[in-house]
Amino acid sequence: MLCPLGHAELLPHSPGHRSPLNDFQRLRATELLAVPVDSPPPLPEQGSAEQCAQRCATSLACRAFHHDQQSQLCQLLPWTQHSPRVQLQKNIRYDLYQKKDYLRDCIVGDGSSYRGTRATTEKGLRCQHWQATTPHDHRFLPSRRNGLEENYCRNPDQDKRGPWCYTVDPNVRHQSCSIKKCEDAVCMTCNGEDYRGTVDHTESGTECQRWDLQHPHKHPYHPNKYPDKGLDDNYCRNPDSSERPWCYTTDPEREREYCRIRICKKRPRPVNVTNGCFRGKGESYRGHVNVTVSGIPCQRWDSQVPHKHHFVPEKYPCKDLKENYCRNPDGSEAPWCFTSRPTVRIAFCFHIRRCPDEQDAQECYHGHGKHYHGHVSKTRKGITCQPWAAQTPHVPQISPATHPEAHLEENYCRNPDDDSHGPWCYTMDPRTPFDYCAIKPCSGSTVPSIMENTDVVTFEQCGQREERLQQKGRIVGGQPGNSPWTVSIRNRAGVHFCGGSLVKEQWVISTRQCFFSCDADLTGYEVQLGTLFKDPGPGDPDQQTIPIVRIVCGPSESQLVMLKLARPAALTRRVALICLPPERYVVPAGTICEIAGWGETRGTCHRQPLLGDSLFNTAPAKAILSPLPTTSPCP
């Protein structure tokens, strides 16, 4: 849902700030070369990307610039990728920024800023050069400021119909070029998760904030963290499964707004639909399982009881949110549902089996992947690879002809130049010359799949504690705690409000519901470790108190957060690390599990709330996590 996050006062606003980078489109790890070099570009100058953008924006000769992020140098360029005799080349040192007006094949507003290369009218007539006065004499003479180049369509008089030109037909003086508005040029399907158009204003006309910037609004959707979401420049996108594409705005008073984008007439047919099993993340699962792995019935998608939510079936027509069936409308790791139990909001349906063709070990590469000969043909952003022998949409510098020994077959990911980042490919996206592929490096040991026997997994460097004699007490359903990884999270007043677990000396894992936002100001917040009581006495010799300096939210719907501590905790007999399971690990049936939490004791009249443990067996195939039994305070 597009609701204010309720923390505007915490954001470091820059009133009315608009980044000069908003006028540029970024290509990562790319260099733009003129062949042959008619005149060398200016020498590199010191500056941040924003400073370089400001210089380029005020220079009539500049249309793009290279930026070396490591050395903070930039080089202004008088050409773009659409200029004659230039080529894009992969270069991990540079990011290339090009003025959007020279790259767009659509118009914003009335198209006065359009600087594209369309040179024919809506009826197919060729445009007359602006510097020519035949067959039609006119008053619009070219200058470096008005952009009247060659015979390209332009709008020098702000015609409401958009860019136009004089024609070479003596009988037709001028004609509209009928260039589409950007909001109509690329349509969206479903909820627009796959929309990759170039709309960069909201439906109210407010300009969008760049995804790679944190001002005026802080946000978690950095392009490096979500490479498959297409978070390019400041274009409208839908990275969080909202109703439709949106963006953060450049207005400090408006955090985010929806964008107006045309809906495609034809709804795409679902691909890879499964009913008895699921593939990938299960986004195309259409089966009828309607209980969670622990047996809790699912809540109906068209109901708001007991849990309110925004996944309303009529707003998500492509997600098949029927009845109360397990589905994956937001790209989580597997099908899930809201549960019918008020105390459990969301649960995954991990008991739905994976399809047999998903059980094979995933492809991986050794070293830099120079000898990888697998069949992966999509990048980490989900873009299809361009065939190595093709010349469009990108003219490759590396091809089967130049590297016959590199096995450049079809459009499979390869690493012919031994790039240290691993296998890559040219892409079918005209705005992304190349990208690295979604292939993991091979590890020394095989990562267990969810179908393998996981009994052999052991933990040696964590989860260790000194087994001591438990003090007498009656914690309902449990016993006094011996969980040295459990921490107490405290607010500025020093009051305990949530628990967590120490996973590394300087990191604590906790739950998202304890914090009102992923950008919360945690100044003054701290954790306490090494104590049995929630409110220990001042002389507790094992107690450690450490400030919290950072919060990092987990993936969408994971409900997890990581808290970074100001300094590493000292590991002692009362402070230890909890274990995190290997990737894709499933707790075997019959495993004895333990949960711990802070609570009052019933009937024992402890003076302070106590840390308690509770033991239980797992259900077949999966562990069932349940809260500690409710307890009552002492009178």
Side-chain angles (χ1 to χ4, degrees):
M1 288 189 296
L2 290 182
C3 302
L5 294 180
H7 62 284
E9 71 279 4
L10 299 178
L11 302 181
H13 291 158
S14 299
H17 182 83
R18 177 190 182 275
S19 171
L21 287 172
N22 281 20
D23 295 324
F24 292 82
Q25 182 171 293
R26 180 185 185 185
L27 286 177
R28 298 170 187 268
T30 303
E31 184 179 14
L32 187 62
L33 298 177
V35 182
V37 179
D38 296 329
S39 59
L43 294 174
E45 301 178 24
Q46 199 74 31
S48 66
E50 286 194 319
Q51 291 171 332
C52 298
Q54 187 65 47
R55 293 173 197 161
C56 188
T58 56
S59 168
L60 294 177
C62 182
R63 298 187 178 182
F65 66 89
H66 293 138
H67 186 253
D68 186 333
Q69 190 168 359
Q70 185 172 0
S71 62
Q72 289 293 291
L73 290 174
C74 65
Q75 183 181 43
L76 306 187
L77 304 172
W79 50 68
T80 70
Q81 66 185 72
H82 291 160
S83 302
R85 300 181 301 280
V86 299
Q87 65 183 27
L88 294 171
Q89 181 170 295
K90 176 173 171 277
N91 188 331
I92 60 174
R93 284 183 53 201
Y94 297 123
D95 284 345
L96 172 65
Y97 292 85
Q98 302 177 87
K99 287 184 177 178
K100 290 179 180 178
D101 289 336
Y102 288 91
L103 300 183
R104 287 191 180 106
D105 55 3
C106 59
I107 62 173
V108 177
D110 63 12
S112 298
S113 64
Y114 175 75
R115 295 294 182 269
T117 57
R118 181 82 62 86
T120 56
T121 71
E122 60 185 348
K123 301 295 184 181
L125 297 178
R126 189 160 54 89
C127 293
Q128 173 184 312
H129 277 68
W130 290 100
Q131 64 184 8
T133 55
T134 58
H136 305 288
D137 197 3
H138 61 90
R139 61 186 176 89
F140 294 109
L141 299 179
S143 71
R144 296 184 68 179
R145 191 174 296 276
N146 64 19
L148 300 181
E149 301 176 79
E150 305 290 337
N151 63 334
Y152 302 143
C153 299
R154 294 290 185 263
N155 192 3
D157 59 350
Q158 290 81 51
D159 191 309
K160 293 182 179 179
R161 294 171 295 178
W164 55 274
C165 68
Y166 296 105
T167 83
V168 296
D169 185 343
N171 299 316
V172 181
R173 179 171 171 79
H174 57 78
Q175 199 169 80
S176 171
C177 294
S178 193
I179 301 174
K180 290 184 176 180
K181 289 183 177 290
C182 288
E183 55 262 38
D184 299 324
V186 178
C187 63
M188 74 171 195
T189 58
C190 299
N191 297 93
E193 292 98 333
D194 297 325
Y195 171 75
R196 296 297 181 266
T198 57
V199 173
D200 57 8
H201 285 69
T202 70
E203 57 189 1
S204 71
T206 308
E207 188 176 26
C208 294
Q209 174 182 316
R210 289 183 65 91
W211 295 100
D212 55 4
L213 296 180
Q214 292 292 315
H215 53 81
H217 303 290
K218 279 189 175 182
H219 64 89
Y221 294 106
H222 194 281
N224 291 340
K225 290 178 62 179
Y226 298 89
D228 59 332
K229 301 296 185 181
L231 302 179
D232 304 312
D233 303 303
N234 64 333
Y235 299 133
C236 300
R237 295 292 184 259
N238 189 3
D240 62 350
S241 298
S242 291
E243 293 176 27
R244 49 198 171 100
W246 56 275
C247 69
Y248 295 100
T249 83
T250 53
D251 182 351
E253 303 303 320
R254 300 183 186 183
E255 186 181 49
R256 49 187 277 182
E257 288 184 346
Y258 284 123
C259 304
R260 191 184 77 79
I261 297 166
R262 179 172 60 92
I263 299 176
C264 301
K265 293 181 180 179
K266 290 186 178 180
R267 185 182 300 175
R269 292 184 178 180
V271 295
N272 298 322
V273 171
T274 61
N275 292 291
C277 60
F278 76 91
R279 292 189 178 94
K281 296 181 178 180
E283 291 163 298
S284 295
Y285 170 74
R286 296 295 182 264
H288 291 173
V289 173
N290 61 358
V291 295
T292 71
V293 67
S294 55
I296 305 173
C298 293
Q299 173 182 319
R300 288 183 61 93
W301 293 99
D302 57 3
S303 171
Q304 295 292 315
V305 180
H307 304 289
K308 290 186 176 181
H309 61 91
H310 67 276
F311 288 106
V312 182
E314 55 266 27
K315 292 183 179 179
Y316 291 83
C318 299
K319 306 299 185 181
D320 195 56
L321 302 181
K322 296 178 180 177
E323 306 290 338
N324 63 336
Y325 303 139
C326 296
R327 293 291 183 263
N328 189 1
D330 64 345
S332 293
E333 59 186 284
W336 58 274
C337 69
F338 297 102
T339 83
S340 57
R341 184 178 295 177
T343 57
V344 182
R345 178 174 172 80
I346 286 174
F348 285 103
C349 305
F350 280 129
H351 51 308
I352 304 173
R353 67 184 182 91
R354 284 191 174 272
C355 298
D357 57 354
E358 288 278 305
Q359 297 174 16
D360 298 331
Q362 294 183 349
E363 294 192 51
C364 63
Y365 65 88
H366 295 278
H368 293 165
K370 187 172 184 179
H371 300 292
Y372 169 77
H373 295 157
H375 293 161
V376 172
S377 59
K378 284 196 174 183
T379 74
R380 58 185 177 173
K381 295 182 180 179
I383 307 171
T384 300
C385 293
Q386 173 182 314
W388 290 98
Q391 297 292 308
T392 57
H394 307 289
V395 178
Q397 305 299 306
I398 296 176
S399 68
T402 62
H403 292 67
E405 76 291 344
H407 295 272
L408 302 181
E409 304 150 339
E410 303 292 337
N411 65 335
Y412 302 139
C413 298
R414 295 290 184 262
N415 193 0
D417 57 350
D418 201 25
D419 191 310
S420 61
H421 295 83
W424 57 276
C425 68
Y426 298 106
T427 84
M428 294 303 293
D429 180 355
R431 295 184 295 107
T432 307
F434 84 98
D435 191 18
Y436 297 101
C437 296
I439 311 171
K440 294 181 179 181
C442 301
S443 59
S445 57
T446 304
V447 177
S449 77
I450 64 169
M451 303 306 295
E452 293 175 347
N453 184 353
T454 56
D455 291 345
V456 297
V457 176
T458 58
F459 303 104
E460 297 179 354
Q461 303 301 320
C462 57
Q464 304 300 311
R465 64 185 171 194
E466 178 182 304
E467 297 297 341
R468 64 182 187 271
L469 180 65
Q470 302 289 347
Q471 55 179 293
K472 294 181 179 180
R474 287 193 298 137
I475 295 179
V476 182
Q479 58 190 3
N482 185 14
S483 301
W485 35 80
T486 302
V487 307
S488 169
I489 305 173
R490 295 170 179 263
N491 60 22
R492 294 185 181 93
V495 177
H496 167 94
F497 68 93
C498 255
S501 297
L502 191 68
V503 293
K504 285 288 185 181
E505 286 86 343
Q506 206 167 351
W507 287 92
V508 167
I509 191 170
S510 186
T511 176
R512 172 73 174 80
Q513 66 189 24
C514 294
F515 302 90
F516 63 88
S517 97
C518 294
D519 297 303
D521 181 2
L522 299 183
T523 303
Y525 284 65
E526 60 189 21
V527 299
Q528 284 191 358
L529 311 91
T531 177
L532 176 65
F533 293 101
K534 189 177 74 174
D535 297 308
D540 193 322
D542 297 303
Q543 177 186 335
Q544 298 181 40
T545 301
I546 305 176
I548 301 171
V549 295
R550 183 183 173 194
I551 179 173
V552 179
C553 286
S556 173
E557 298 296 344
S558 72
Q559 301 300 311
L560 296 176
V561 296
M562 298 292 293
L563 303 175
K564 187 176 183 180
L565 307 182
R567 63 180 183 275
L571 301 184
T572 67
R573 65 189 184 95
R574 290 287 182 90
V575 177
L577 303 180
I578 197 171
C579 297
L580 292 178
E583 184 180 5
R584 299 167 70 87
Y585 179 72
V586 172
V587 181
T591 300
I592 301 297
C593 297
E594 177 183 300
I595 58 175
W598 303 97
E600 306 285 348
T601 56
R602 178 182 297 164
T604 59
C605 289
H606 278 286
R607 289 172 299 172
Q608 297 173 311
L610 191 68
L611 174 64
D613 295 337
S614 182
L615 302 177
F616 57 90
N617 279 287
T618 64
K622 307 291 177 192
I624 304 174
L625 297 182
S626 57
L628 282 173
T630 303
T631 56
S632 301
C634 294

